[in-house]
Amino acid sequence: MIEVEIVGLNELRAKLRKLPKALADGAANGQETALEQAEAYAVDELQSSIQYSTGELARSFKHEVKIDGDEIVGRWWNSSMIAIFREFGTGKVGEASSKELPPNVAITYRQTPWYIPAEEVDVNLTKIYGIPKVKIKGRYFYRTAGQPARQFMTPAAKKIAKKAPSIIKQSVDQELREKLGD
């Protein structure tokens, strides 16, 4: 009869019990890092394309990572109302401008011009964007048919989509080394 002695079985069992949590934590941390990098890309895009800014768009990014059973879900968005107008444009001008829409998304654009009260705008829209200023019943307004799409989140999302798998893999590898050892 042959005798077999297994050395380290208890240590192996302990590591195997830690494995699911280490994998989930590593993937969630990697997702968090990827979302933060996407935000950095979007902020860089904004800063390179905006001359007159309060910084509201750059400060309005939000993200979250949730572990729900076997799924790890990351979400990234901008909470400013201005973000969607900048990303996809407005009015006829926005509709006609070049942009990339997410799958299964259809946008309806306003087809008639509208007026922006000049006193509610802290910059000269005529000087900056060439939007004409008109006087109606003693008040000044900017008349616009919209603005073109100036996407900043879509390019950032596309850029991080290429890098996210390696970011997440690196995070999982690190978590496994820290929690389980070599």
Side-chain angles (χ1 to χ4, degrees):
M1 176 149 125
I2 301 174
E3 284 188 36
V4 177
E5 180 182 350
I6 300 175
V7 178
L9 186 58
N10 289 336
E11 291 85 4
L12 175 61
R13 285 183 179 139
K15 285 183 178 186
L16 288 174
R17 280 190 294 274
K18 293 178 184 178
L19 183 61
K21 182 166 177 16
L23 284 171
D25 289 349
N29 291 339
Q31 182 78 281
E32 180 91 19
T33 300
L35 292 172
E36 288 168 355
Q37 185 62 56
E39 181 177 325
Y41 292 149
V43 168
D44 285 348
E45 180 67 30
L46 279 170
Q47 290 175 340
S48 70
S49 65
I50 295 179
Q51 285 184 334
Y52 303 95
S53 170
T54 63
E56 176 189 356
L57 284 176
R59 289 189 308 270
S60 297
F61 285 108
K62 309 278 188 248
H63 69 270
E64 68 181 8
V65 176
K66 290 184 178 181
I67 300 174
D68 184 17
D70 291 340
E71 288 189 341
I72 299 169
V73 179
R75 292 185 335 130
W76 171 57
W77 69 98
N78 192 299
S79 62
S80 171
M81 281 293 293
I82 298 167
I84 196 164
F85 301 129
R86 181 177 176 84
E87 186 75 15
F88 300 117
T90 59
K92 287 184 175 184
V93 176
E95 184 175 37
S97 68
S98 175
K99 69 195 138 304
E100 188 172 326
L101 293 176
N104 302 317
V105 170
I107 298 176
T108 302
Y109 291 88
R110 181 178 177 151
Q111 299 299 304
T112 57
W114 63 96
Y115 297 86
I116 304 166
E119 70 267 6
E120 292 183 19
V121 181
D122 57 358
V123 294
N124 184 332
L125 296 179
T126 303
K127 189 174 187 179
I128 297 171
Y129 300 115
I131 298 174
K133 192 177 198 180
V134 296
K135 188 175 184 179
I136 302 171
K137 296 184 181 179
R139 288 183 62 202
Y140 285 97
F141 296 87
Y142 292 103
R143 182 186 183 277
T144 184
Q147 292 292 305
R150 294 171 304 210
Q151 294 191 300
F152 61 103
M153 291 187 71
T154 300
K158 287 176 73 173
K159 191 171 183 178
I160 199 59
K162 293 176 184 172
K163 296 181 179 189
S166 64
I167 291 171
I168 294 168
K169 179 189 179 306
Q170 183 179 0
S171 180
V172 168
D173 288 348
Q174 180 180 344
E175 194 73 26
L176 290 176
R177 279 192 302 280
E178 288 175 7
K179 296 273 172 62
L180 306 180
D182 290 329

